Amino acid sequence: MKTITMGILAHVDAGKTTLSEALLYKAGNLRNLGRVDNGDAFLDTNTLEKKRGITIFSHAAKLTTKDLDITLLDTPGHVDFASQTEETLGILVDYAILVVSATDGVVSYTKALWRLLQRYNVPTYIFVNKTDIAGTDLKQVLADIQENLDQGCIDFSKIDDNFYENIAAVDDDLLEKYLDGQAIEAADIQGLILQRQVFPVFFGSALKLTGIPEFLAGLDKWTKEKTFASDFKARCFKISHDQKGERLSWLRILGGSLKAKTMLNDEKINQLRSYNGAKFTVVPEAKARDVVAATGLKNTYPGEGIGIQDTHAFFKPVLTYRVNPGEHDIHECLKALKVLEDENPQLHVTWSEHLQEIHVQVMGEIQLEILQQLLQERFNLAIRFEQGNILYKETITKPIEAVGHFEPLRHYAEVHLLLESGPANSGIVFENKCDLEVLTKNWQHQIMTALKSKEHLGVLTGSPITDMKITLIGGKGSLGHSVGGDFREATYRAIRQGLMELKVRDQLQLLEPWYDFYLEVEQDQVGRALNDIQRMHGKFDTPENNGNRTIINGSAPVSEMRDYATEVRNYTHGQGIFECVVKGYLPCHNTDEVIAAKDYDPVSDLENTPNSVFCSHGAGHTVTWDQVPQTAHYPYTYPLS
């Protein structure tokens, strides 16, 4: 029997959870067929999911046939919960099922999910759902998929000569084999699927259960079981809490095995649970390819690699909101939000002692509504969220050698870093190129740990820095005076000092989040739509006509487009279609205006000071950032020009 793990993804309302239910039902693993919109779906176990009729959290279910044992991971379909979908892919699922609605075709979020599948290199099956709806043209749907996703998306519902010819055309070696009259074996096709050269497409209606047996047969025939290493590896992909408040760390075992009551990263595992919907079985051991929930662990986090590298999210929140506690104690609200942040670190819950305010980061309005309901149902807190700000970021356009010095009496540390610009949306990359003869291994470790230990802020608006490479290139310590924390202080000051140098040279850049959008309106509304996009400083491709409707694809700043869905709904009288997905961070369209509004003084930000501390005449004194290069003790590797 083959054992595989499959993630199932889709745009909201494509029928993803309905397909999951249909597969479980037809495989004989589910007695009664639930409905998402009725709130009785087997996989939508949460109260909020039942109420709203959408999947909000990722869930696991067991699907077993005569020859196949599948762990099926259902994921949220709404773009606001894309980070949870990404976490599921981050556990290296063997295969994915991408559900495409026959009525909607490939929409912008489908493309975003496809990019995610490419990023994690996941072999993918496509199920075209809702083919029972009148007027559906399957050839047109397939052409849409091939044009917008990949030409390797091939109809697997008919295994005939055309099928093998289409398969052969994907690979030169296979084409030569086919033209020589040799048979294309099942193993050849399985290999192409694993290599993401071929993507099997199946058709049906999950609600009517048509096409489901054929799809199950296809999964059985064309999937291939993975082999795993003998040494222990795992990835944490989700944190949740059960009905009793017990913290669950969801793990996919990617090598070796894991037993209950053993230690994992200095913490003891109490139980290992194998979940099937809301029910679970306690198991003594989890082996490679198993998905289990571990209790007793307090420090795990989504994306954490155990024996392998961590994964870092592509989908990140771009909106920030302030918490209005109403009649509740603000610290009680903070405590509850910290529990939810443990489950979803992307919330980035922050507390300002000075303002006595809590801020959270979210993807959109739906996530905010769910957050509000979670706080009410789980913690009995009726709180409101007030519109906050766009999450801006900052980057650099030129390299700079940055230096920080920390030398109060009986302390000593100097750190030299090279700051370089990185590719767009690459985040922060750290490297160590310092010789051990310059700084000892222990001091270098302290500096690299300090670099990774906090979110470093820019000096234009105090927003986080991104798209940068930070390299340790030198420094100086003192065997008699350097103590714990000295290199951390020098490291933090070095980054800020370098940014200040670049600021006076006008070599910093403010970035803002942009949306990729899909807009569909009646032809007589196109003029209004294009004017709106230009007003919002957006860009768009040549509009495409589809009958009496027009499709406009493009991108625009989140700050300008965040409320546009309501406008579209109003001027199209509910008939327009508007969807948007975060594209990433691009140069800000109104930098001067944003900087003026933020009114941020980097020198006055004492928690993130760019200044250094030197010692003379037996006392420590402050040296301003612009005087540090002339005062530094370690020579510059890249002299200031």
Side-chain angles (χ1 to χ4, degrees):
M1 177 179 280
K2 285 189 290 191
T3 302
I4 58 175
T5 300
M6 301 193 81
I8 184 163
L9 304 83
H11 175 263
V12 69
D13 293 334
K16 172 184 51 60
T17 301
T18 306
L19 175 61
S20 302
E21 302 275 318
L23 291 170
L24 290 164
Y25 180 75
K26 275 297 184 182
N29 305 124
L30 202 59
R31 289 186 179 181
N32 300 308
L33 199 60
R35 285 280 296 270
V36 177
D37 46 1
N38 289 344
D40 59 358
F42 176 73
L43 281 164
D44 283 349
T45 57
N46 185 272
T47 307
L48 292 179
E49 293 176 317
K50 294 178 185 295
K51 282 182 180 179
R52 299 186 73 104
I54 61 172
T55 303
I56 300 168
F57 310 99
S58 56
H59 301 283
K62 300 291 186 181
L63 190 158
T64 308
T65 66
K66 180 184 175 184
D67 303 306
L68 208 56
D69 184 358
I70 297 177
T71 297
L72 193 64
L73 300 171
D74 191 15
T75 63
H78 198 283
V79 65
D80 281 16
F81 307 103
S83 61
Q84 293 191 28
T85 299
E86 185 174 4
E87 285 161 5
T88 302
L89 290 183
I91 67 167
L92 307 178
V93 289
D94 303 330
Y95 294 90
I97 301 170
L98 180 65
V99 186
V100 176
S101 166
T103 54
D104 298 334
V106 176
V107 297
S108 56
Y109 189 46
T110 314
K111 294 178 185 177
L113 290 173
W114 189 258
R115 290 195 295 271
L116 211 55
L117 291 164
Q118 286 177 316
R119 184 183 185 207
Y120 288 100
N121 198 32
V122 182
T124 304
Y125 287 73
I126 296 171
F127 186 83
V128 178
N129 194 25
K130 304 184 182 181
T131 58
D132 58 314
I133 294 177
T136 301
D137 184 341
L138 297 188
K139 286 185 178 179
Q140 179 58 43
V141 175
L142 182 61
D144 179 37
I145 290 171
Q146 290 173 337
E147 181 182 349
N148 288 291
L149 300 184
D150 196 287
Q151 286 296 318
C153 298
I154 295 172
D155 183 357
F156 270 58
S157 62
K158 294 178 183 177
I159 309 300
D160 54 17
D161 288 342
N162 286 336
F163 169 78
Y164 287 110
E165 188 175 323
N166 289 333
I167 291 287
V170 171
D171 182 80
D172 290 341
D173 292 337
L174 206 58
L175 180 59
E176 188 175 334
K177 180 178 177 180
Y178 178 74
L179 294 175
D180 285 344
Q182 299 179 52
I184 295 178
E185 307 292 339
D188 295 327
I189 298 173
Q190 289 175 341
L192 291 174
I193 295 169
L194 282 172
Q195 294 161 23
R196 284 185 52 86
Q197 288 182 268
V198 165
F199 307 92
V201 181
F202 291 85
F203 301 87
S205 169
L207 193 60
K208 301 288 180 65
L209 297 177
T210 57
I212 303 302
E214 293 81 1
F215 189 36
L216 281 169
L219 294 178
D220 181 31
K221 183 172 183 178
W222 304 114
T223 53
K224 189 175 181 179
E225 191 175 65
K226 264 189 178 179
T227 56
F228 291 87
S230 57
D231 53 322
F232 175 67
K233 297 176 183 177
R235 187 176 303 286
C236 177
F237 68 98
K238 184 173 81 164
I239 301 297
S240 66
H241 292 77
D242 66 13
Q243 293 180 340
K244 295 180 180 179
E246 181 115 48
R247 188 179 191 268
L248 303 178
S249 302
W250 292 75
L251 305 170
R252 171 93 193 275
I253 312 302
L254 299 168
S257 63
L258 178 67
K259 292 183 179 180
K261 308 301 181 184
T262 58
M263 301 297 288
L264 187 67
N265 289 350
D266 299 324
E267 292 185 295
K268 186 179 179 181
I269 296 172
N270 293 331
Q271 279 185 344
L272 291 175
R273 301 178 180 180
S274 177
Y275 271 85
N276 189 18
K279 298 179 180 178
F280 69 86
T281 304
V282 176
V283 295
E285 183 179 15
K287 297 180 180 179
R289 74 173 49 91
D290 287 348
V291 174
V292 290
T295 66
L297 304 178
K298 303 299 180 187
N299 298 313
T300 45
Y301 53 89
E304 179 183 8
I306 302 154
I308 53 176
Q309 286 188 336
D310 289 2
T311 57
H312 301 283
F314 174 78
F315 286 110
K316 294 182 179 179
V318 295
L319 304 173
T320 178
Y321 285 81
R322 186 175 72 87
V323 173
N324 183 337
E327 298 177 356
H328 301 289
D329 177 68
I330 188 78
H331 295 285
E332 185 183 356
C333 297
L334 180 61
K335 184 179 177 182
L337 282 164
K338 283 293 183 182
V339 173
L340 297 181
E341 183 188 35
D342 180 38
E343 298 175 358
N344 179 14
Q346 298 268 33
L347 284 175
H348 293 291
V349 177
T350 56
W351 164 251
S352 170
E353 187 71 38
H354 175 67
L355 297 174
Q356 292 286 294
E357 286 183 355
I358 305 171
H359 292 89
V360 298
Q361 296 177 14
V362 297
M363 293 284 286
E365 297 285 343
I366 299 295
Q367 186 187 2
L368 203 63
E369 290 175 23
I370 296 298
L371 190 57
Q372 209 164 7
Q373 292 173 28
L374 280 172
L375 288 162
Q376 176 70 66
E377 293 198 0
R378 286 177 56 178
F379 305 98
N380 198 29
L381 294 172
I383 67 176
R384 298 190 306 277
F385 293 95
E386 297 177 351
Q387 187 97 28
N389 299 308
I390 297 293
L391 292 170
Y392 293 93
K393 293 190 179 183
E394 299 179 27
T395 192
I396 65 178
T397 59
K398 295 289 183 180
I400 190 76
E401 180 170 347
V403 61
H405 191 97
F406 187 70
E407 192 188 359
L409 190 61
R410 289 186 287 277
H411 293 265
Y412 189 94
E414 183 165 303
V415 173
H416 287 243
L417 305 170
L418 177 62
L419 312 184
E420 299 172 279
S421 60
N425 299 299
S426 61
I428 305 289
V429 176
F430 302 104
E431 190 172 352
N432 185 353
K433 286 188 177 179
C434 184
D435 197 297
L436 287 173
E437 293 182 2
V438 175
L439 290 171
T440 66
K441 187 175 182 180
N442 179 45
W443 290 342
Q444 290 187 26
H445 176 71
Q446 290 179 37
I447 295 166
M448 298 308 293
T449 301
L451 284 173
K452 301 172 185 177
S453 67
K454 68 175 285 189
E455 187 174 58
H456 302 284
L457 304 183
V459 296
L460 293 176
T461 61
S463 301
I465 57 172
T466 189
D467 300 347
M468 284 174 56
K469 181 179 180 182
I470 303 178
T471 306
L472 172 60
I473 55 174
K476 196 171 181 180
S478 167
L479 292 174
H481 294 93
S482 294
V483 297
D486 289 358
F487 280 100
R488 181 179 64 245
E489 284 289 338
T491 300
Y492 293 166
R493 292 162 193 264
I495 292 175
R496 296 282 285 185
Q497 189 273 337
L499 294 175
M500 289 298 291
E501 289 277 7
L502 292 172
K503 182 182 180 184
V504 297
R505 303 179 190 192
D506 197 23
Q507 292 172 346
L508 298 179
Q509 193 170 54
L510 186 67
L511 305 175
E512 68 177 337
W514 278 55
Y515 281 138
D516 271 337
F517 67 83
Y518 171 96
L519 179 59
E520 185 176 321
V521 295
E522 300 289 340
Q523 286 189 0
D524 61 357
Q525 296 163 339
V526 172
R528 159 72 191 266
L530 296 182
N531 284 335
D532 286 348
I533 296 165
Q534 289 172 333
R535 169 178 54 82
M536 294 184 289
H537 302 274
K539 303 172 183 177
F540 55 87
D541 301 331
T542 303
E544 301 176 15
N545 291 327
N546 182 16
N548 64 345
R549 295 174 71 81
T550 298
I551 297 167
I552 307 168
N553 286 289
S555 58
V558 170
S559 60
E560 299 289 329
M561 198 167 245
R562 64 193 298 184
D563 300 319
Y564 191 56
T566 304
E567 281 190 52
V568 172
R569 197 159 49 243
N570 290 339
Y571 78 73
T572 65
H573 308 291
Q575 300 303 305
I577 299 173
F578 176 73
E579 297 170 340
C580 54
V581 177
V582 175
K583 178 179 185 176
Y585 276 79
L586 297 172
C588 184
H589 77 282
N590 59 338
T591 295
D592 292 342
E593 182 182 328
V594 174
I595 291 175
K598 292 278 186 181
D599 194 23
Y600 176 69
D601 181 3
V603 177
S604 298
D605 186 349
L606 299 182
E607 291 183 6
N608 300 281
T609 180
N611 299 330
S612 284
V613 178
F614 285 79
C615 187
S616 61
H617 307 297
H621 63 94
T622 297
V623 172
T624 58
W625 64 269
D626 55 321
Q627 297 301 311
V628 170
Q630 295 90 328
T631 321
H633 292 176
Y634 182 81
Y636 267 62
T637 306
Y638 305 92
L640 290 169
S641 56

